Amino acid sequence: MAQRYFMIFPMTPLPIVFADIEAAAARLDGVAHRTPVLRSRTADERCGADLFFKCENLQRGGAFKFRGAYNALAQFDAVQRQAGVIAYSSGNHAQAIALSARLLGMSAAIVMPLDAPPLKIEATRGYGAEVIRYDRYTQDREQIGRAIAAERGMTLIPPYDHADVMAGQGTAALELIAEVGPLDALVVCVGGGGLISGCAVAAKHLLPDCRVIGVEPEAGNDVQQSLRAGHIVHIDVPRTIADGAQTQHAGQLTFPVMRSLVDEVVTVSDAQLVSAMRFFAERMKLIVEPTGCLAAAAILEAGLPVAGKRIGVIVSGGNVDMTRFAQLLA
Ligand SMILES: *Cc1c(COP(=O)(O)O)cnc(C)c1O
């Protein structure tokens, strides 16, 4: 068991290394978008720094999740491909798995709550996946997922706690650094920690002096608490508009990576997320979902000190219902 292994041998090698991210980049080449890195003079002037925004809101499926999902599915053997993939998610991971499965010609089943937004269900079905509904108040999605996986021989791919998923997410930082060169810090949102784990492995390998800073919603700072405590802390479902970061605990694989490679985790409020969302829309003409604003909000709204530095900022996703987008900005 990986969990026990890490507890007994805390100095054990991490679950992913830089070569895994390079291999993921080769698999994603020509499949994932090489998303643009955008600049904003207004943002730079506001904080006295050079900011480089890696725009994963413009990734296929609308979020960085496509990188990890495709990297995992592309490595299935013939038997796994035949049976297909199953995932449980109401958000961006569902769409990423559905899209990746379609591209690779395999079937996908996604376990989604009965009260998931109809738009998200339609998007997932639109990619050809079978949507399996469950009642989130009376049923356990992990149990349902595991039961269907066993019954149909499908492979379950979790949203963050999986080495191939983490390695795929790391290609976002790999591309950013290849494009802009040295950075003093890389600022990344944190849910379960898949994105920041992959990005930290890439950044610390290429730029050993680059600080890696995580950003969580104020109401859901379980990773900040976990890093302070030295073990994984579980919290109640946090109340925040950052729905992609409503995770209750870090992963068994992501936590050791964050513990050894993430320098600091800071938090931002929902009001600061909305201000950053407005900034992206007004100034940069970008639609960014609340969770996608975490890293930028830490710098532009929460006063993370960056003056005089070159800073990479991951903009993680752009999937937000337009009615909700308008309500949040109103
Ligand atoms: C999933 C997701 C996150 C959180 O990523 P983790 O790998 O779970 O830390 C952040 N932003 C968006 C848009 C997401 O979809």
Side-chain angles (χ1 to χ4, degrees), residues 43 46-47 51-54 186-189 213-215 266 268 272-273 275-277 279-280 284 286 288-304 306 311-316:
R46 197 195 280 189
C47 58
L51 304 181
F52 301 91
F53 296 97
K54 177 67 169 166
L186 179 63
V187 187
V188 188
C189 54
I213 301 169
V215 186
V266 300
V268 301
Q272 289 167 333
L273 288 177
S275 298
M277 211 165 86
F279 180 87
F280 277 127
M284 298 180 73
L286 290 175
V288 183
E289 64 184 275
T291 317
C293 295
L294 280 163
I299 297 166
L300 296 174
E301 310 296 334
L304 184 73
V306 293
I311 310 289
V313 185
I314 306 278
V315 180
S316 60

Side-chain angles (χ1 to χ4, degrees), residues 229-311:
H231 59 84
I232 297 172
V233 171
H234 291 242
I235 60 169
D236 290 337
V237 178
R239 286 179 175 274
T240 168
I241 58 170
D243 55 334
Q246 278 180 312
T247 37
Q248 291 173 263
H249 58 86
Q252 298 293 340
L253 300 178
T254 60
F255 181 66
V257 178
M258 292 192 281
R259 190 157 69 164
S260 46
L261 301 181
V262 172
D263 295 279
E264 183 186 2
V265 175
V266 300
T267 62
V268 301
S269 68
D270 280 3
Q272 289 167 333
L273 288 177
V274 170
S275 298
M277 211 165 86
R278 182 185 305 282
F279 180 87
F280 277 127
E282 280 179 356
R283 298 299 180 133
M284 298 180 73
K285 315 306 166 197
L286 290 175
I287 292 169
V288 183
E289 64 184 275
T291 317
C293 295
L294 280 163
I299 297 166
L300 296 174
E301 310 296 334
L304 184 73
V306 293
K309 310 268 195 216
R310 289 169 56 85
I311 310 289

